[in-house]
Amino acid sequence: MGTSLSRRAFLRATAAGVGLAAPYLAAGRVVASPGKPAPSDQVRVGHIGLGGMGSGHLGSYCANDRFPSVALCDVYEPYRVRAARRCTRKVALHTDFRELLDRPDVDAVFIATPDHWHALIAIYAAQAGKDIYCEKPLSLTIAEGRAVADAVRRGGRVFQTGSQQRSSDTFRRACALVRSGRLGRLEAVQVGIWGSSRGCHLPSQPVPAGLAWDLWLGPAPWRPFHRQLHPASWRAFRDYSGGINTDWGAHHVDIAQWGIGASLGGPVRIDPPSKAHRGARLTYANGVVCTMGAPVNGVRFDGSEGKVEVNRGYYRTWPESAWREPLEPDDVELHRAPGDSVGGHHRDFEACVWSRRRPVCDAEIGHRSATACHLANIACWLGRSLRWEPATEELVGDAEAARWLRRPLRAPWRLP
Amino acid sequence: MCLRRVGLGCLVLSLAAAAAAGEGGALASRIRRLAGELARPERSALAERELRSLCWHATRPGAEAERRLAAATLVALLEAEATPPAVKAGVVERLGAIGRAEAVPALARRLADRELREASRRALERNPSAEASRALRQGLATRDAGFRAALAQALGARRDAASVPLLVPLVDSPDETLRLAAVEALARIGDPTAIPALRAAMARRRVSPGARRRVGAAYVALAAAVATRGERRAAVQMYGDLLKGTAAERAAALLGLGRAGGTAALPALLEALDGDDRRLRGAAAQALAAVPGSEATKAVAARARKAGPALKATLLDVLAARGDPAGLGVALSAAGHAESAVRLAAIRAAGAMRSAAAAPRLIELVRYTAGAERAAAESALRRIPGKQVTLAIVEALAASEPDARRVLVRVLGARGDPDCLTPLRDAASDPDPAVRAEARRALSQLGHGEPDAPKPKPVEPRQP
């Protein structure tokens, strides 16, 4: 059941001797004041998942007049309370995301839950007519990602995957140099991350007060609570995440695919880790091999006439002058976000919500990047090479591996 | 009591393992030993990891006999009365990863077991055999509405067309969970025979907003599936139903009509451009880009001609996405619009149509504008193929100012047309140093420059 923390409720609560935190003193502006946007010029935002990244998104919107936060949702009460205290206006609080999606006063949602929830909430949000900013990786399985991309396309929603490196000028320029041939023919890509997830064998512990554990698990197989799963370390376990490979892969493999020109495609062959390479190797149709787990800083593109290595706040080219080369019109057609990194990624989403264009990392792109990471994991888990057909999104010649493209959800949750 | 039972189970498993022989026997024996350890808390994590790896390895292509043996061993464990429940749960999960037809009877029997039925349902959902679908369909006879919903969900996930006649009656179930599961399963399966049932579900009154939304979304998904099957008339009728629905359904209907409705959808799409809801306007514009044929292009162009600046820019983007030269007239006239956003959209559209008829205007824009417009015109000129365009650019070179000459030379270099070589060589001795430099770069790109100095070898990157 949703609750609403308005100024009136606050005054009533304090009058009754129930102390609430000081920031609520500033709450209560519901109607636009002079000089502020009219409600029709606003996009009202709901936040689902208020942990680390969710808290960051809330920071950008809780005092935003054009995209005001109006509803917050988390399965953990202390997070809800902490988030509500940061808001200077009336916000509704929910434990169950479905209640938030039922609200007609929410136009767009930010999804920052654990990974195993991303796809389902995104699909429900698309069905409810909301525009969506969803944290990466887009999905836990390839089938989930496809379902998200289809639901977004069918519903005409604006969707931004939270792979904010696509809105970084540094990453964009590195990919532009590669795509425009400034480093010669692209021969190989090295990605400096690797780490898969594993089965979970943690013992049972008491569920902390204020945590809706069954709702935290949602579509994942039921298991008892353990503090390693909530709030922070769930990424180590296969039922909730693909590990570093999908967590960081949704950034660095995403950039690799941007530079390769495979944002809407994917690898055609995936080799598991071996003595020769610590991580998986993804081979693309143009012959470029992307090696994960390589000893590089971020992502390195190796061209026949030069190289570029790029990470957050870092870039390096060989030769050094390559970075300074001016790019001409039509050298590349890479989307430029109106700002840098997370802020730019938010601005790009906001601009697209108004213009109804596709953001820099829309659902299809987020799905394709996550797919490459999922395939790396499947090859690693099964210990064998896979052949992938990006056009049909099918594994070729390995019917048993194909079972990994989807995972049955725990009833009553299901992919619509 | 419980520990004694577990111990007995382990003993039985160990004895069984000891009885096995040969290579296959070794595999079966190992599986039984590891499965037995699943019931020992201090060993279960390691045993599960090993068992998982063993089973995954057995699924590799070309090792069918090994997979069958592993599955049969697991089935025997599941069927053995002495096997402890904790082991059975692990066995069911493994069968979900490797079992085929041989695993179905044992899993189907567990659908009646309250402890194992959910895990067994998931294992059957992953099982690629036709027998698994049959077992799930038979399971639908259960009286437990919640579990029937879970079975319906599994059949939907498998896109099991044979289950449609069983799922259709469930759409009228008084239980909302079961009703929604049936509706969504039918939408996923995508069989047109489900249309009347879902249409009735759409008309149902007194349902929660969440349930109504999910039925609407299922109807949209079914319409898309029906259109993909080529039954466009049925799909268009469904989208027509959705146009009377919520804003989200109307947006989906407009997009669907764009894909499936052909030119008959144009009036609805054009009308939606004038609505108050920007999301519906956006959906209509997106849909207009998908309607095939020049008639649609002309309709969009006509609407763009009369539109205000914001809509005009949007419709020019639609024309760009369509790429049909039938819209060139409106694009060229909008290239002189008072609003910069409209001018840029018009230039982009003119380039996207790749028609030589746009070249004179685009050359003019390169010659007499600056900044974003010049860049857009340059980009457009690079994209339009044809010797005629190259010659028009060459002809414009002599009469242009140096900064425009430099851009036109760059365009010639990018076009890579053999007819460009002579004018580029001429430009290499242009009085303006920037034009000369651009011409030399262009000639070099075309492989006709002065021999390059040897390129420095890339330095090996330092390890981070």
Side-chain angles (χ1 to χ4, degrees):
Chain A
M1 186 75 186
T3 53
S4 194
L5 278 175
S6 64
R7 178 171 172 270
R8 188 175 294 171
F10 166 76
L11 291 173
R12 213 171 31 234
T14 46
V18 182
L20 289 179
Y24 277 118
L25 289 169
R29 189 179 65 246
V30 184
V31 181
S33 50
K36 301 289 181 189
S40 58
D41 291 332
Q42 290 181 324
V43 173
R44 295 155 302 179
V45 173
H47 299 264
I48 301 171
L50 299 165
M53 287 307 295
S55 193
H57 295 314
L58 181 66
S60 295
Y61 292 94
C62 60
N64 187 319
D65 285 318
R66 276 198 99 198
F67 285 75
S69 302
V70 297
L72 313 177
C73 173
D74 199 285
V75 296
Y76 190 40
E77 188 186 15
Y79 282 2
R80 293 196 296 274
V81 171
R82 181 184 70 181
R85 283 178 181 158
R86 296 175 66 192
C87 295
T88 55
R89 53 169 78 80
K90 177 181 173 181
V91 285
L93 302 182
H94 299 278
T95 305
D96 187 328
F97 71 93
R98 290 168 294 189
E99 292 174 351
L100 186 146
L101 294 178
D102 281 344
R103 298 182 68 93
D105 63 347
V106 170
D107 303 307
V109 291
F110 280 71
I111 302 168
T113 58
D115 300 356
H116 65 287
W117 264 120
H118 287 174
L120 210 50
I121 298 177
I123 292 168
Y124 279 26
Q127 291 180 350
K130 319 293 185 195
D131 293 326
I132 302 150
Y133 184 113
C134 181
E135 266 309 324
K136 38 54 62 174
L138 187 62
S139 59
L140 190 65
T141 65
I142 293 171
E144 282 184 1
R146 171 46 49 212
V148 173
D150 286 350
V152 166
R153 182 180 50 83
R154 279 200 301 262
R157 298 299 99 205
V158 171
F159 189 103
Q160 178 83 295
T161 312
S163 299
Q164 74 271 10
Q165 288 179 180
R166 287 233 176 194
S167 292
S168 150
D169 278 343
T170 314
F171 285 102
R172 186 183 54 76
R173 182 160 178 81
C175 292
L177 285 173
V178 175
R179 294 274 289 273
S180 57
R182 295 307 171 100
L183 305 174
R185 188 171 46 79
L186 180 61
E187 291 175 337
V189 186
Q190 321 284 337
V191 170
I193 56 105
W194 178 255
S196 188
S197 53
R198 58 181 192 274
C200 181
H201 304 284
L202 297 168
S204 170
Q205 289 181 342
V207 179
L211 175 65
W213 176 241
D214 194 70
L215 205 47
W216 187 97
L217 284 170
W222 194 88
R223 59 146 291 129
F225 173 81
H226 189 281
R227 63 175 174 273
Q228 211 177 316
L229 297 176
H230 173 80
S233 299
W234 46 267
R235 284 195 181 90
F237 304 108
R238 195 161 26 230
D239 283 340
Y240 322 108
S241 169
I244 290 170
N245 288 345
T246 52
D247 181 30
W248 271 95
H251 286 307
H252 285 351
V253 174
D254 176 63
I255 291 299
Q257 295 211 141
W258 206 15
I260 291 169
S263 289
L264 296 173
V268 293
R269 182 187 163 95
I270 305 93
D271 294 306
S274 71
K275 283 180 184 165
H277 43 95
R278 189 171 72 89
R281 293 179 77 162
L282 314 172
T283 305
Y284 290 80
N286 60 2
V288 173
V289 176
C290 171
T291 305
M292 298 173 74
V296 297
N297 186 358
V299 186
R300 198 183 76 201
F301 295 96
D302 299 346
S304 57
E305 292 172 28
K307 304 181 186 197
V308 59
E309 189 173 68
V310 59
N311 205 340
R312 295 181 185 183
Y314 161 86
Y315 66 84
R316 191 175 174 200
T317 52
W318 295 265
E320 270 184 39
S321 59
W323 191 263
R324 294 189 296 275
E325 283 230 2
L327 291 170
E328 297 170 1
D330 261 23
D331 247 350
V332 284
E333 292 181 359
L334 300 186
H335 183 123
R336 184 194 289 264
D340 204 28
S341 203
V342 180
H345 217 48
H346 284 168
R347 299 297 90 74
D348 184 50
F349 174 64
E350 293 164 15
C352 291
V353 165
W354 290 110
S355 69
R356 311 311 295 169
R357 292 169 193 268
R358 286 187 185 175
V360 66
C361 198
D362 83 342
E364 189 68 38
I365 292 175
H367 162 57
R368 296 292 181 155
S369 297
T371 293
C373 304
H374 292 319
L375 289 169
N377 270 340
I378 296 170
C380 170
W381 293 331
L382 296 180
R384 59 180 182 256
S385 298
L386 306 170
R387 281 192 297 137
W388 177 249
E389 176 46 74
T392 57
E393 299 189 65
E394 286 172 344
L395 282 165
V396 182
D398 193 339
E400 299 300 330
R403 295 190 202 213
W404 281 97
L405 301 184
R406 59 181 55 80
R407 295 189 216 175
L409 308 187
R410 182 170 65 111
W413 302 104
R414 57 184 169 269
L415 275 186
Chain B
M1 171 88 180
C2 184
L3 279 175
R4 195 183 304 163
R5 203 171 147 192
V6 169
L8 185 65
C10 290
L11 182 65
V12 170
L13 294 171
S14 304
L15 288 172
E23 195 182 323
L27 173 67
S29 164
R30 211 169 146 208
I31 288 173
R32 282 190 285 262
R33 178 179 60 76
L34 290 168
E37 289 179 356
L38 291 177
R40 294 168 57 191
E42 76 283 5
R43 293 279 303 154
S44 65
L46 192 63
E48 189 174 334
R49 195 154 58 231
E50 278 185 47
L51 184 59
R52 207 185 284 266
S53 299
L54 202 64
C55 290
W56 285 345
H57 185 65
T59 64
R60 68 196 183 280
E64 175 57 15
E66 197 173 316
R67 186 206 62 76
R68 239 186 350 249
L69 176 65
T73 309
L74 291 168
V75 166
L77 283 165
L78 185 58
E79 298 283 40
E81 275 191 25
T83 306
V87 174
K88 287 194 175 183
V91 164
V92 168
E93 201 191 326
R94 290 301 90 230
L95 280 174
I98 72 165
R100 283 181 170 260
E102 75 286 307
V104 170
L107 290 170
R109 274 191 282 280
R110 266 74 213 169
L111 292 178
D113 177 336
R114 284 199 88 78
E115 293 301 315
L116 288 176
R117 68 181 189 181
E118 171 58 12
S120 301
R121 176 194 70 83
R122 290 204 303 267
L124 285 168
E125 185 179 321
R126 293 183 83 183
N127 188 309
S129 70
E131 287 82 351
S133 294
R134 199 173 306 133
L136 289 165
R137 287 197 296 271
Q138 284 166 356
L140 275 177
T142 178
R143 284 191 199 158
D144 181 333
F147 193 56
R148 283 175 102 188
L151 292 165
Q153 157 184 345
L155 289 163
R158 294 172 66 86
R159 293 197 162 90
D160 177 47
S163 64
V164 170
L166 301 173
L167 293 170
V168 163
L170 304 184
V171 171
D172 289 327
S173 166
D175 183 279
E176 185 175 280
T177 306
L178 178 55
R179 203 165 60 233
L180 285 177
V183 163
E184 288 179 350
L186 287 167
R188 254 183 109 74
I189 294 166
D191 193 301
T193 57
I195 295 173
L198 263 66
R199 187 171 282 140
M202 287 275 284
R204 195 182 179 110
R205 292 171 192 276
R206 287 195 287 183
V207 290
S208 66
R212 174 64 187 75
R213 188 177 68 227
R214 287 170 69 177
V215 172
Y219 201 64
V220 171
L222 182 59
V226 167
T228 304
R229 281 170 169 248
E231 302 198 28
R232 288 172 49 182
R233 184 178 290 186
V236 167
Q237 201 178 348
M238 294 176 79
Y239 289 129
D241 296 339
L242 288 160
L243 279 177
K244 298 168 207 150
T246 63
E249 287 164 7
R250 290 203 299 278
L254 292 172
L255 287 160
L257 283 173
R259 286 189 289 268
T263 49
L266 285 173
L269 299 178
L270 290 167
E271 189 187 326
L273 291 173
D274 297 321
D276 294 332
D277 187 328
R278 68 175 184 285
R279 286 173 291 191
L280 286 177
R281 291 198 302 269
Q286 214 177 316
L288 281 167
V291 181
S294 274
E295 196 181 325
T297 307
K298 285 174 192 159
V300 175
R303 186 70 186 81
R305 216 177 285 278
K306 291 184 283 181
L311 182 57
K312 193 186 280 282
T314 300
L315 291 176
L316 285 164
D317 284 344
V318 170
L319 290 172
R322 298 183 61 82
D324 179 355
L328 186 61
V330 71
L332 292 180
S333 72
H337 196 274
E339 296 262 348
S340 153
V342 176
R343 290 198 301 274
L344 285 172
I347 298 168
R348 281 196 303 267
M353 291 170 197
R354 298 164 74 92
S355 163
R361 181 77 174 112
L362 292 170
I363 291 169
E364 257 179 44
L365 289 165
V366 168
R367 290 181 66 186
Y368 302 118
T369 63
E373 275 171 66
R374 175 181 274 178
E378 177 184 353
S379 176
L381 275 175
R382 288 171 180 233
R383 297 175 72 177
I384 301 174
K387 190 172 179 172
Q388 192 187 341
V389 178
T390 304
L391 293 176
I393 296 169
V394 170
E395 200 178 308
L397 264 178
S400 301
E401 294 295 316
D403 57 339
R405 275 209 306 281
R406 190 171 57 83
V407 175
L408 291 172
V409 162
R410 197 158 60 204
V411 172
L412 288 177
R415 292 178 66 80
D417 191 329
D419 289 323
C420 297
L421 286 177
T422 306
L424 284 176
R425 284 189 182 120
D426 292 345
S429 50
D430 192 281
D432 186 87
V435 177
R436 286 201 302 271
E438 201 65 66
R440 278 199 290 270
R441 192 176 305 148
L443 284 166
S444 166
Q445 272 174 1
L446 295 172
H448 291 269
E450 291 164 17
D452 283 339
K455 289 196 173 93
K457 200 178 169 191
V459 183
E460 277 305 307
R462 205 181 39 192
Q463 302 302 325

